[in-house]
């Protein structure tokens, strides 16, 4: 029903609701309070200075009002609670003065200042507080306060046909209350126990529907036609046997997963996850090789140019018979044109690049596989942009685990997952040390020790989020300092985001060849970069980084059997950073990050639209979500899923899912 049809709501009123994102009565009913104000009398014998208090009593005197300015007035009076007399101060309520004569019964909510025996009130209610009162508090606007919102909602509840999206069997299993009752209770709270029961039902419903959509998408993906390649696994095996190292069991298993996906007529939609340094890259190269053997082009998209270049150089070494092209945003026009030409006419087998890979002018001849490295660095789902001739490519996402399980489940709920849990053998955990700026001498001494051993060091300059230019200045400042300290024994190089591609390339090459021993950099090296002889990373102002980012940076060292070190320099937030000194497990780190920073924008992207839950919080309601996931899977595969009775659930599941 349209809002206009609600009795007593004007055109302006409709607009005010629209401004809160409410367009119809269904939106209105689902405009749930974001918290509840529980008014319960405070025991004044048991309060501390500064506590929030609620008391009732009678007015002791006629209030005094001072007009401080046109927009600010202050009213003060005394209240007698029967056991105590206290001062009350409240701002901008002069209009209440006439209701507050001596002897009037009132309730005061405010903050208690013990020294002055004064309550600075945020609200005054007329009458005594007889019993506990619970007020629903909504996100409101200057035009619509919580009271008004609640009133309009209540004028609609009961008239509207509210559908329950939880199948009967599940409602019974969990003893959920009736949906109508749940909706009524969240807007008309009488006791918190009931409200919480109501909320549990509504949260579960939200999660159930979301998971149902995810599972539906997944089953659809599996059904949709993919490319079927005929490839002799012996060829893949031969390639693996020729590698300079043995793959770990998990790497082998991941390769098998991918081989199966690519040879079966099902479209691959797979996430390959594994901690930093676990060896995802080689798996992705094998995937590209399998795809090549099947006769298709493959693309690997990296989040930074440096990483793209590194992948490009590596794959050319490992697969010298393939025609590989590099495509980045900073290529010269002529180079780029030539590359594009070869990509579209099929001369190129594998394309490595940054997001330039998916720009509009890139036309593939027969793109069969798309891999994105460090998936969490990209926005969610950019695959829609690929221009390809009539083929829907298989997809492989790679991620270095900073996705807590909770997130992986929801964000990637429609994907299959291969996990690399074990590190290649012979790796030692990185020793992580926390130091303050005062202890910089210790750090320099440690650095010297490493240099004497012939090892190399990364130094990460403080991060300035707003400005790449300032990042650059920080890098040069550090270069000067490092040159002062180590100029005689080591060569110092710098790397930052403003450098040209070939300059970066040159510096990285020098670092790889040990022509540079100390590399000072911004976080451009954060992901993926691989130089095994580097055994130490020093990160200045570490407090500016999230834990997951620091873990990624730390992953630059500890890439072979040498002892390696990560030094976090920070004068702040020692407690948070301390977590890193205790664990090397990226999984645990990301969980902590998640707990500390919440689910909002953990990975630099906002949640996708689908994930904006009204009530549920995937962190807090994790267990509920797991249940919803299982239940929705079962429901999707049951005969109930096709029944007339649950048409509304099926519609809600399928309508919002659009397949590309
Ligand atoms: P990440 O998973 O973080 O992307 P990489 O793919 O960059 O990790 O691998 C890290 C390093 O480990 C690389 O130098 C790679 O050559 C090496 N590596 C990968 N797999 C193995 C293995 N099975 N045994 C030994 N070294 C390996
Ligand atoms: Mg990598």
């Amino acid at each position: 029903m349209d809002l206009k049809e609600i009795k007593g709501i004007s055109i302006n009123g409709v607009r005010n609701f629209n401004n809160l994102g409410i367009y119809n009565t269904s939106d209105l009913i689902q405009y749930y309070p974001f918290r509840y104000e529980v008014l319960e009398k405070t025991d004044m014998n048991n309060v501390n200075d500064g506590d929030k208090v609620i008391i009732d009593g009678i007015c002791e005197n006629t209030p005094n009002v001072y007009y401080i300015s046109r927009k600010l007035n202050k009213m003060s009076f005394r209240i007698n609670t029967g056991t105590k007399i206290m001062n009350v101060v409240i701002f901008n309520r002069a209009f209440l003065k006439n209701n507050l004569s001596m002897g009037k019964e009132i309730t005061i909510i405010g903050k208690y200042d013990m020294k002055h025996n004064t309550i600075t009130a945020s609200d005054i209610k007329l009458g005594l507080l007889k019993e506990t009162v619970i007020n629903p508090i909504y996100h409101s606007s200057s035009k619509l306060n919580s009271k008004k919102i609640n009133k309009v909602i209540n004028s609609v509840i009961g008239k509207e046909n509210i559908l329950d999206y939880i199948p009967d069997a599940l409602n019974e299993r969990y003893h959920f209350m009736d949906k109508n009752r749940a909706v009524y209770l969240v807007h008309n709270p009488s006791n918190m126990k009931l409200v919480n029961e109501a909320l549990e039902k509504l949260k579960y419903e939200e999660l159930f529907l979301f998971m149902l959509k995810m599972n539906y998408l997944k089953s659809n993906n599996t059904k949709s036609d993919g490319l079927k390649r005929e490839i002799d696994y012996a060829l893949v095996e031969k390639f693996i046997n020729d590698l300079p190292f043995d793959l770990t069991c998990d790497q082998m298993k991941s390769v098998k997963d991918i081989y199966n996906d690519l040879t079966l007529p099902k479209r691959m939609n797979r996430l390959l996850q594994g901690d930093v340094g676990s060896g995802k890259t080689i798996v992705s190269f094998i995937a590209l090789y399998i795809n090549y053997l099947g006769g298709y082009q493959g693309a690997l998209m990296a989040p930074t140019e440096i990483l793209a270049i590194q992948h490009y150089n590596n794959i050319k070494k490992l697969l010298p018979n393939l025609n590989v092209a590099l495509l980045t945003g900073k290529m010269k026009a002529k180079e780029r044109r030539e590359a594009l030409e070869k990509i579209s006419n099929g001369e190129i087998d594998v394309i490595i690049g940054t997001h330039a890979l998916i720009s509009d002018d890139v036309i593939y001849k027969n793109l069969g596989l798309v891999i994105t490295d460090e998936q969490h660095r990209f926005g969610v789902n950019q695959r829609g942009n690929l221009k390809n001739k009539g083929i829907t490519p298989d997809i492989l996402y790679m991620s270095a685990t900073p996705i807590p399980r909770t997130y992986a489940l929801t964000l990637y709920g429609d994907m299959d997952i291969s996990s690399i849990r074990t590190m290649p053998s012979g790796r030692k955990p990185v020793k992580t040390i926390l130091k303050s700026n005062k202890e910089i001498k210790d750090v320099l001494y440690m650095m010297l020790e490493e240099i004497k051993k012939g090892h190399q060091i990364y130094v990460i300059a403080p991060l300035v989020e707003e400005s790449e230019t300032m990042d650059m200045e920080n890098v040069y400042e550090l270069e000067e300092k490092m040159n002062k300290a180590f100029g005689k024994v080591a060569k110092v190089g710098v790397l930052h985001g403003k450098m040209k591609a070939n300059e970066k390339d040159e510096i990285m090459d020098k670092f790889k060849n040990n022509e540079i021993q100390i590399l000072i950099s911004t976080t451009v090296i954060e992901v993926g970069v691989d130089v095994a002889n580097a055994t130490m990373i020093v990160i200045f102002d570490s407090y500016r980084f999230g834990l997951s980012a620091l873990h990624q940076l730390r992953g630059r060292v500890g890439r072979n059997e040498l002892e390696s070190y990560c030094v976090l320099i920070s004068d702040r937030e020692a407690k948070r950073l301390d977590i890193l000194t205790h664990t090397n497990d990226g999984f645990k780190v990301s969980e902590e990050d998640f707990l500390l920073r919440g689910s909002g924008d953990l990975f630099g992207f906002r949640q996708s639209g689908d994930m904006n839950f009204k009530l549920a919080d995937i962190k807090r309601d994790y267990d509920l979500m797991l249940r919803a996931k299982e239940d929705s899977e079962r429901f999707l595969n049951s005969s109930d899923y096709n029944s007339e009775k649950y048409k509304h659930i099926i519609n809600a599941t399928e309508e919002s899912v659009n397949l590309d």
Side-chain angles (χ1 to χ4, degrees):
M1 195 169 91
D2 211 298
L3 289 182
K4 276 180 287 201
E5 295 166 47
I6 303 173
K7 260 229 291 282
I9 206 172
S10 64
I11 301 271
N12 271 337
V14 169
R15 197 173 308 133
N16 293 339
F17 276 98
N18 291 169
N19 286 339
L20 291 175
I22 302 169
Y23 293 91
N24 53 44
T25 48
S26 158
D27 293 344
L28 193 59
I29 286 170
Q30 293 182 67
Y31 198 74
Y32 301 123
F34 73 94
R35 69 178 181 91
Y36 293 91
E37 179 188 58
V38 182
L39 301 182
E40 209 168 16
K41 245 187 272 186
T42 309
D43 172 8
M44 288 306 289
N45 293 319
N46 200 4
V47 287
N48 295 312
D49 184 47
D51 278 359
K52 188 186 170 200
V53 296
I54 300 170
I55 53 162
D56 63 359
I58 55 173
C59 247
E60 267 284 296
N61 61 340
T62 309
N64 281 314
V65 175
Y66 312 91
Y67 289 89
I68 299 163
S69 72
R70 205 162 54 83
K71 284 196 171 153
L72 186 66
N73 60 67
K74 176 180 168 184
M75 180 162 73
S76 60
F77 58 94
R78 288 193 303 279
I79 184 171
N80 186 339
T81 64
T83 55
K84 231 177 163 179
I85 293 180
M86 278 173 284
N87 304 309
V88 177
V89 174
I90 188 162
F91 291 93
N92 287 352
R93 298 295 158 90
F95 59 89
L96 280 176
K97 184 179 179 201
N98 293 335
N99 295 321
L100 297 176
S101 50
M102 219 164 91
K104 271 271 155 68
E105 295 178 332
I106 49 168
T107 300
I108 304 284
I109 303 162
K111 212 168 137 183
Y112 184 51
D113 173 353
M114 194 173 259
K115 191 168 149 212
H116 300 99
N117 188 34
T118 297
I119 296 171
T120 306
S122 56
D123 203 5
I124 299 181
K125 293 179 195 294
L126 302 178
L128 298 177
L129 188 69
K130 293 202 179 62
E131 53 193 39
T132 305
V133 173
I134 305 173
N135 292 320
I137 310 293
Y138 300 85
H139 286 294
S140 52
S141 65
S142 57
K143 299 272 168 53
L144 279 174
N145 61 27
S146 279
K147 254 195 189 133
K148 172 78 182 165
I149 294 170
N150 183 258
K151 199 170 153 210
V152 176
I153 291 175
N154 273 316
S155 74
V156 177
I157 289 180
K159 290 181 197 145
E160 188 84 352
N161 180 25
I162 301 179
L163 292 171
D164 190 337
Y165 291 91
I166 307 176
D168 293 348
L170 291 168
N171 269 322
E172 272 161 41
R173 167 154 12 122
Y174 297 123
H175 307 291
F176 283 142
M177 64 174 74
D178 175 69
K179 171 94 179 260
N180 281 287
R181 177 143 189 264
V183 170
Y184 177 82
L185 282 172
V186 295
H187 293 296
N188 297 278
S190 55
N191 88 50
M192 280 316 287
K193 189 167 168 281
L194 280 177
V195 170
N196 286 330
E197 274 175 41
L199 286 173
E200 184 88 351
K201 149 120 193 169
L202 297 174
K203 279 183 201 167
Y204 175 85
E205 184 185 41
E206 234 182 346
L207 293 166
F208 177 79
L209 256 188
F210 175 78
M211 283 302 173
L212 197 57
K213 283 178 198 170
M214 281 299 192
N215 284 318
Y216 172 76
L217 198 73
K218 183 172 178 173
S219 68
N220 233 295
N221 244 324
T222 321
K223 270 182 254 157
S224 75
D225 286 341
L227 307 171
K228 188 172 175 304
R229 302 167 181 80
E230 300 215 354
I231 300 141
D232 186 358
Y233 193 72
L235 288 171
V236 182
E237 229 159 18
K238 171 157 192 328
F239 176 76
I240 291 173
N241 289 336
D242 288 347
L243 287 173
F245 45 72
D246 292 333
L247 291 188
T248 62
C249 290
D250 287 342
Q251 282 174 320
M252 279 305 273
K253 169 125 199 342
S254 304
V255 168
K256 276 269 168 59
D257 287 343
I258 292 165
Y259 174 82
N260 286 338
D261 285 354
L262 294 183
T263 48
L264 291 171
K266 137 189 178 202
R267 185 173 175 200
M268 177 165 77
N269 191 32
R270 183 171 292 279
L271 173 69
L272 174 63
Q273 61 172 16
D275 208 346
V276 232
S278 62
K280 297 180 292 294
T281 315
I282 187 66
V283 175
S284 74
F285 287 177
I286 298 171
L288 287 167
Y289 182 54
I290 297 171
N291 177 60
Y292 161 80
L293 292 174
Y296 293 100
Q297 287 177 315
L300 171 59
M301 183 158 79
T304 65
E305 207 170 0
I306 289 184
L307 199 50
I309 294 167
Q310 179 180 292
H311 286 332
Y312 174 74
N313 291 331
N314 284 340
I315 199 169
K316 278 205 308 192
K317 258 183 248 150
L318 281 170
L319 291 162
N321 297 329
L322 271 60
N323 287 314
V324 187
L326 179 69
L327 205 60
T328 68
K330 291 185 181 154
M331 281 167 82
K332 292 205 187 76
K334 181 161 169 277
E335 267 179 327
R336 184 179 166 82
R337 218 175 319 115
E338 280 171 13
L340 292 184
E341 171 69 28
K342 287 184 185 163
I343 292 168
S344 69
N345 71 21
E347 263 177 73
I348 294 291
D349 305 312
V350 169
I351 303 97
I352 311 271
T354 54
H355 50 261
L357 281 183
I358 53 169
S359 64
D360 268 345
D361 56 347
V362 187
I363 297 163
Y364 296 91
K365 173 127 189 287
N366 63 347
L367 186 63
L369 172 65
V370 178
I371 303 177
T372 56
D373 193 9
E374 310 293 350
Q375 160 67 15
H376 64 281
R377 283 298 212 89
F378 293 103
V380 189
N381 267 348
Q382 289 174 333
R383 65 187 173 197
N385 296 345
L386 286 164
K387 292 268 178 318
N388 196 16
K389 297 229 169 93
I391 301 170
T392 357
D394 289 294
I395 312 274
L396 181 69
Y397 298 99
M398 296 199 283
S399 177
T401 353
I403 302 168
R405 232 145 56 95
T406 40
Y407 253 92
L409 267 172
T410 44
L411 260 185
Y412 300 117
D414 67 325
M415 290 185 193
D416 297 309
I417 298 182
S418 297
S419 300
I420 306 183
R421 294 194 182 80
T422 43
M423 289 284 171
S425 59
R427 296 274 173 84
K428 280 205 182 113
V430 179
K431 282 203 174 125
T432 302
I433 300 152
L434 198 54
K435 292 275 180 194
S436 69
N437 274 304
K438 276 198 211 120
E439 300 167 295
I440 194 80
K441 271 209 175 121
D442 298 352
V443 179
L444 294 176
Y445 191 72
M446 287 175 66
M447 289 174 71
L448 186 63
E449 286 297 301
E450 286 309 296
I451 288 169
K452 278 188 194 157
K453 286 184 211 156
H455 301 161
Q456 290 162 275
I457 302 172
Y458 294 103
V459 177
I460 307 299
L463 168 86
V464 184
E465 274 186 343
E466 312 82 60
S467 151
E468 256 194 7
T469 314
M470 276 171 79
D471 279 341
M472 185 177 78
E473 284 166 8
N474 282 332
V475 168
Y476 287 122
E477 202 176 298
L478 267 178
E479 182 191 23
E480 215 178 295
K481 283 186 187 152
M482 291 298 149
N483 265 327
K484 231 182 226 161
F486 300 107
K488 290 203 182 99
V489 288
K491 185 129 177 45
V492 178
V494 300
L495 194 66
H496 58 76
K498 291 220 149 169
M499 284 163 74
K500 292 211 185 74
N502 57 345
E503 292 172 338
K504 287 184 194 169
D505 212 5
E506 201 178 303
I507 293 288
M508 272 324 289
D509 271 349
K510 281 191 177 159
F511 192 60
K512 272 186 187 157
N513 299 332
N514 203 356
E515 289 163 43
I516 288 173
Q517 286 75 45
I518 300 178
L519 180 65
I520 303 166
S521 166
T522 55
T523 49
V524 287
I525 63 130
E526 178 184 337
V527 286
V529 170
D530 189 33
V531 177
N533 189 48
T535 53
M536 187 175 205
I537 183 163
V538 179
I539 305 168
F540 280 86
D541 282 4
S542 328
Y543 70 90
R544 290 179 186 263
F545 298 89
L547 293 179
S548 295
L550 290 171
H551 179 69
Q552 283 277 338
L553 284 168
R554 171 168 70 176
R556 294 313 109 220
V557 298
R559 302 203 145 228
N560 53 25
E561 66 293 338
L562 300 172
E563 189 76 72
S564 21
Y565 305 90
C566 168
V567 183
L568 304 174
I569 300 181
S570 175
D571 293 342
R572 280 190 237 169
E573 295 193 37
K575 202 164 160 229
R576 179 174 70 98
L577 298 174
D578 204 41
I579 293 161
L580 291 169
T581 66
H582 297 309
T583 183
N584 265 292
D585 180 343
F587 213 68
K588 282 207 188 105
V589 171
S590 65
E591 288 285 352
E592 289 292 339
D593 216 2
F594 190 58
L595 286 174
L596 289 170
R597 304 209 292 178
S599 53
D601 53 359
L602 188 51
F603 308 114
F605 56 72
R606 291 267 151 206
Q607 306 176 9
S608 64
D610 284 346
M611 293 239 306
N612 280 327
F613 297 117
K614 291 194 165 72
L615 292 170
D617 176 311
I618 58 169
K619 186 170 92 198
R620 207 183 45 215
D621 304 314
Y622 178 54
D623 290 336
L624 202 59
M625 189 177 72
L626 285 187
R627 267 190 272 158
K629 183 177 158 66
E630 252 176 53
D631 296 340
S632 64
E633 251 160 35
R634 216 170 300 131
F635 177 69
L636 189 66
N637 294 320
S638 73
S639 57
D640 271 351
Y641 189 75
N642 291 313
S643 72
E644 196 56 33
K645 183 176 181 189
Y646 294 130
K647 196 105 204 131
H648 62 292
I649 305 184
I650 298 157
N651 286 342
T653 305
E654 297 182 7
E655 75 191 1
S656 56
V657 174
N658 62 63
L659 301 162
D660 57 328

